[in-house]
Amino acid sequence: MMKNTELLSQNLRLINYFYTRNLSRELSSLKVNHHFEVLLTLAKQKKPITQNQLAELLHIDKSRVAHIIFSMEENEVVMVKTNPADRRQHLISLSPNALKSIPYIEKKVKEVNEMANTGISEEKLSVFVEVAEAMMQNLTKKK
């Protein structure tokens, strides 16, 4: 049982660290610098999206997204094109090679998820997800 004085974020950060480390190890052959979530988010899009839209989808700072996209573009994982309708915007999409790697990434995510969930009943996993979602809603409510 967690004491009221313990930081919840510390436990969540450790889970994230070990989860990401395992996933990075599984996907070390890809040149994506741990940005699997960015790839999977872009793969779900029906058309190229702006950096601002990507930042909103990932819940991260726009400047961080710009840095990630720059790095991914250098590694030829994403393509960035100027929006002809608004030349200030850059439209981001996956490169053909990155698109080909999405099924492999999804397979490895599934394997790491199964590893993380080992020995935990479906009922407990369902409660964990429900509690995590409730906490996010509580923490994002405007006061």
Side-chain angles (χ1 to χ4, degrees):
M1 188 61 126
M2 196 169 95
K3 297 177 188 161
N4 278 339
T5 57
E6 289 181 25
L7 287 174
L8 175 62
S9 61
Q10 185 175 8
N11 289 323
L12 296 174
R13 193 171 33 255
L14 283 171
I15 291 168
N16 182 55
Y17 169 76
F18 290 117
Y19 181 86
T20 304
R21 187 177 79 175
N22 277 283
L23 195 52
S24 294
R25 194 178 299 141
E26 290 292 322
L27 295 170
S28 62
S29 62
L30 303 177
K31 291 183 180 180
V32 293
N33 297 336
H34 317 295
H35 300 303
F36 317 113
E37 189 176 5
V38 175
L39 286 175
L40 293 172
T41 300
L42 287 171
K44 290 178 190 171
Q45 306 310 307
K46 304 280 186 249
K47 59 183 182 176
I49 62 172
T50 66
Q51 288 182 345
N52 288 351
Q53 290 170 320
L54 185 59
E56 287 176 24
L57 289 170
L58 296 171
H59 302 282
I60 58 176
D61 188 72
K62 293 175 203 165
S63 63
R64 176 101 177 99
V65 168
H67 177 74
I68 291 168
I69 294 304
F70 179 77
S71 160
M72 293 176 84
E73 187 180 22
E74 279 188 331
N75 288 324
E76 299 177 353
V77 178
V78 297
M79 298 183 302
V80 179
K81 294 185 177 162
T82 302
N83 184 352
D86 183 348
R87 303 205 44 82
R88 295 170 297 173
Q89 290 182 339
H90 295 97
L91 298 174
I92 305 156
S93 59
L94 292 178
S95 70
N97 283 341
L99 258 175
K100 287 181 208 166
S101 68
I102 294 298
Y104 177 73
I105 293 170
E106 289 173 337
K107 176 181 179 267
K108 292 300 180 180
V109 166
K110 185 178 180 199
E111 289 173 11
V112 172
N113 286 350
E114 288 171 358
M115 180 192 326
N117 298 342
T118 300
I120 303 171
S121 70
E122 285 294 322
E123 182 183 0
K124 284 184 177 180
L125 286 170
S126 178
V127 169
F128 173 75
V129 169
E130 189 178 316
V131 168
E133 287 173 356
M135 287 178 161
M136 282 190 292
Q137 286 180 358
N138 291 341
L139 294 168
T140 58
K141 281 183 185 171
K142 303 240 189 291
K143 289 191 175 192

